[in-house]
Each structure stands twice: as structure tokens, then as C-alpha cells.
Amino acid sequence: MLVLKYALMLFGAALFGSAASLVIYDIYLSEQLRRLLRRGAAIEPPVEANSIPQRPFGTVRWGLAQRLAAAAVLPLLLALSIVVIPDGWAGVRISQIWGARPGTLYPGVHLITPLVDSVALYDTREQVFATAAVATPKSPDEVLTVQAREGLNIGLAVTVRYRLDPRRLNSIRANLPQPIGEQVVAPTVATIYRQLAPNYITREIFATKREELRAEAAKAITDRLSSDGIVVREVLLRDLKLPDEYSKGLEGLLLKEQENERLGTEQEIKQKQVRLAELEAEAQKARDVKHAEAEAQVHVLQAKGESDAMQYTLPLRQKQIEQAKLEAQARKEATLQNADAAAQAKVIDSKAELEKQRNLADAEANRIRVTSAADAERMRAEAVVLKQNPMLIQKIVAERLSDKLQIMMVPFDGKNFFANDVLRSAFSGVGNNSASDDGPEQATPANALTAKKGSTRRP
């Protein structure tokens, strides 16, 4: 359609040019003819004016020129009635009679009334409005300065992405000043930031509530511009420029806070080290106490074991004799019971483990009772034996004197004993030697004779 529009315009212009050229050419020919006639009249002798024949000049072809001009109007009108909206743009039909017409002309080909309607184009793509925090030679952006609660001036670098609402272009055309970015967006952004900034102190804008300020400003800007048909896509707060004196003070304050945090961290580390040392000392103390208690218990058990061993030595010897007999019988019975015991061992072990602790207490009490009864029985038996055989006391004493003595029991009357004479002679010889060494000693009849190995001296 653009080719057709330009072809019609060229054709109409060509027709207008032809009409103008035709008129100019006819006028030029007439002037040339007049000049030739004047030159010829100056050369010939003068004659009376009435005698000069009046010859008509060439006429200008006004009719043909008018028809050509009229023919040129039609393609030009057709060309003016064709409007092509490029991609990314939208148009508003503006009438010379009614002003901005409702409806939006979207990208494509549209027909309008020539010489009555015109089309105003608007860029409907996203546009960017930006401000600078500080003026620089390389940045053409406007500097936006706001005041915080303390009255300090803060430079803000703001970026606003926006686009025009195509459905409201007629309202934008009729009500908003042009251009939109400079006349509408820029004052709105600056005004809203200057209204919101005094609600915060400088440090909050710089650090903690920077995003909050941006969010509130974005909401206010979006609401304000949306009422004018401008859709805001995003509001960014790129940078802040603090006053130089405040920046230096804030830098020093941050350094002090960092130093304070470092000292606090070191203090916490020291406190933890002290606490760790205390815990280690308490743990070592507890280990030492446990170790001392364990050693004390070991000593107590050892002493108790030694005491029990000393107390039950004689009954244990008697029990060893009985145990030897019982072991022989037990080995015989164990051989027969091994097969059954192996099958029942696991069951017995599981039950025995459960009853072990309970039986230990019962066994200990029973052992004490049995041992006491055994001691009493032994003492009664010894008393009866000693009453019947008083000489056994001498035998026991002799056994306790030395392990090198040999004891032999002989009948008291010496009957039916083949070595009676031999023993008597030996006993007599020992008695004489003893008398020669230690003095006279009287031999008394007894049921036991003693002799020391490797010596004839009687102890």
C-alpha cells in the first residue's frame, strides 16, 4: 500500500507539473512572438498605426491546463486518504471539524477522509525514563534530588519503564501535553519521590528501607500515570548519592561498627574458650572422682576377698577333697549329659542370663548361710574328734610348725605292727641325741611320732 500511495502522489504531482509546464510554455511562446514583432517594427520605416495589420498572438491553453490539474487532484486525494501505521506505533484520527476521533488505528493500512482528517502517530513500545544521581558530562539524564527527614539532599538514579495504552490514545491526545516523557512522566516521578523521601531518614533510605521506598514510589507512580493512560511496567532505584560530609561520617560509623562487631566476636570466642576450659576441668574432675571411686571399690573388694579367703581356707580344703570326688562323678555324668546340655544350652543361657542377677543375691545369702552352717558343723566335728583323740592337737600343731615335718600315725599299743621295735629304737636314738644337745627330754607315748628330714634334731 505504501507503493500505491507513493505512486498516486507521484502521478498527481506529475499531472500538476504538466499543467504548470503547459501554461508556462504557452506564455513563453507568446513573449517570444511579441519580442520578434517589436524588433521587426523597429527596422522597417514607420507607417501609420492604422496601417499595421493586427495579427492575433498564440493563446495560452488554460482549458487543457485546468483539465490536467483537475485530473491530478484525484490521485492526490486518493494518496492522502491512505494511512499506513508502522509496527510498534498506533494512530489517532484527528478531524478538522470534530477534533480527536474515538478509536485507535493499529499497525496496518487505514483509509481516512482526505483534507478533513489527519493521523497523529504515537510510539506504543516500551519507553524508558531515567534520572541520574549526580550530574556527569557523559550522562544526559536529568538529576533527581530529594530531601530526607534531616533535610539532607540525596541524589536518586531512577529508571521507569512505561508505555502508552493504545486504547486511550484519543484521551492522551486531547488531554496530555506533548511529549509525554518530558511533560508527564518526568514531573510525576520527581514529585512522588520528593513526597515520599521526607518520611525516611537518610540512613534508612541508604540501607534498611531502600526497597520499601522503591516499592511505595512504584505503586504511587503506577497509580498516578495509569489514570492518564500510561502503563508503568517497572520502577527501579539504581543508585543513591549521599552528601559528601554524610558519606564520610557514615563510612567512619560503619568502620566503628565493624570494629565493634569484631571485638564482640572475639569476646564471644574468649568466653567460649573459658567455658570450654571449665567444662574440660569439670570433666577431668569427674573422671578423677570416678577413677578414685573405682580404685576404692577395687581395694574394698580385694580386702573382702582376702578376708573371705582367710576365713574359708579350711572349709575350702575339705570341699576340694569332696570336689575331686564330685568332679569325677560329674565328668561321668557330664559325658552323658553333653548331648542334652548342648541342645538346651541356648535356652538355659537365655534363661540363666535373666535369672543371673537375681540368683547372685540369693546365692550370696545362701553361701553365707551354708558357710556358717559348715563352720559350725566343722567346729562341732572337730570338738568331737578332739574330745575322742586329744593327741590330734599335737599333730595339728606339728603340721603348722613347718612344712618339712613328716607325720606318721601308729597304734598306741603297738600290737600287730611289724616296725614297732624299729620305731622305738629310732625314737630312742632321737631322744638321746636331743638330750645331748638340748638337755634331757622325756618321751611320752603317743599315737604320732615326728622326725625332721635331713636332721636327727627334734624341734
Side-chain angles (χ1 to χ4, degrees), residues 18 30 49 114 185 192 216 226 312 332-333 337 375 392 409 457:
S18 299
S30 299
V185 177
I192 290 176
E216 291 184 0
S226 62
Y312 304 116
K332 181 178 179 180
E333 294 178 357
Q337 294 178 356
D375 289 343
L392 286 176
M409 302 294 293
R457 184 177 179 178

Side-chain angles (χ1 to χ4, degrees), residues 316-363:
L316 287 176
R317 288 185 178 179
Q318 185 179 359
K319 289 183 178 180
Q320 287 175 356
I321 297 171
E322 295 177 357
Q323 185 178 1
K325 296 179 181 179
L326 294 174
E327 285 179 354
Q329 185 67 25
R331 282 193 298 270
K332 181 178 179 180
E333 294 178 357
T335 303
L336 298 176
Q337 294 178 356
N338 280 337
D340 296 337
Q344 297 177 357
K346 294 183 180 180
V347 177
I348 294 172
D349 289 341
S350 61
K351 294 180 179 180
E353 186 65 25
L354 297 174
E355 297 178 359
K356 180 179 179 181
Q357 299 297 330
R358 183 174 63 253
N359 292 336
L360 284 176
D362 297 340

Side-chain angles (χ1 to χ4, degrees), residues 247-304:
S247 298
K248 293 179 182 179
L250 182 60
E251 183 178 359
L253 180 61
L254 292 176
L255 291 176
K256 290 181 180 179
E257 289 182 353
Q258 291 177 358
E259 183 67 19
N260 186 23
E261 291 177 358
R262 184 183 66 81
L263 293 176
T265 303
E266 291 180 356
Q267 183 179 1
E268 290 179 359
I269 293 174
K270 295 293 184 183
Q271 291 177 355
K272 290 181 180 179
Q273 290 177 351
V274 171
R275 180 59 179 167
L276 181 60
E278 292 177 355
L279 294 176
E280 290 179 353
E282 292 178 359
Q284 185 63 33
K285 180 180 178 181
R287 287 194 293 268
D288 293 341
V289 171
K290 293 292 184 182
H291 184 68
E293 292 177 354
E295 289 182 352
Q297 292 177 359
V298 169
H299 290 316
V300 170
L301 292 175
Q302 289 178 353
K304 185 177 180 181

Side-chain angles (χ1 to χ4, degrees), residues 10-149:
L10 290 176
F11 182 67
L15 291 177
F16 272 115
S18 299
S21 300
L22 181 62
V23 172
I24 293 172
Y25 180 72
D26 289 344
I27 293 173
Y28 174 74
L29 291 179
S30 299
E31 291 295 329
Q32 289 294 332
L33 182 57
R34 287 178 182 276
R35 189 180 304 112
L36 291 175
L37 292 175
R38 290 173 183 172
R39 183 180 303 173
I43 296 173
E44 293 179 357
V47 293
E48 293 181 359
N50 294 330
S51 63
I52 297 175
Q54 297 294 329
R55 298 184 340 184
F57 297 101
T59 60
V60 178
R61 290 170 289 184
W62 292 105
L64 181 58
Q66 290 176 358
R67 288 191 296 271
L68 290 176
V73 170
L74 181 61
L76 288 177
L77 291 177
L78 291 176
L80 292 175
S81 64
I82 298 174
V83 175
V84 179
I85 307 298
D87 190 18
W89 294 72
V92 177
R93 184 184 292 107
I94 301 173
S95 175
Q96 302 296 331
I97 302 173
W98 298 283
R101 303 292 299 276
T104 301
L105 302 180
Y106 293 97
V109 179
H110 302 274
L111 297 177
I112 62 174
T113 303
L115 302 179
V116 177
D117 294 341
S118 62
V119 176
L121 296 179
Y122 290 91
D123 191 354
T124 57
R125 295 170 296 183
E126 286 192 1
Q127 303 180 45
V128 176
F129 169 75
T131 63
V134 61
T136 58
K138 296 181 179 180
S139 177
D141 297 334
E142 178 185 357
V143 178
L144 176 59
T145 304
V146 299
Q147 286 187 346
R149 186 181 301 174

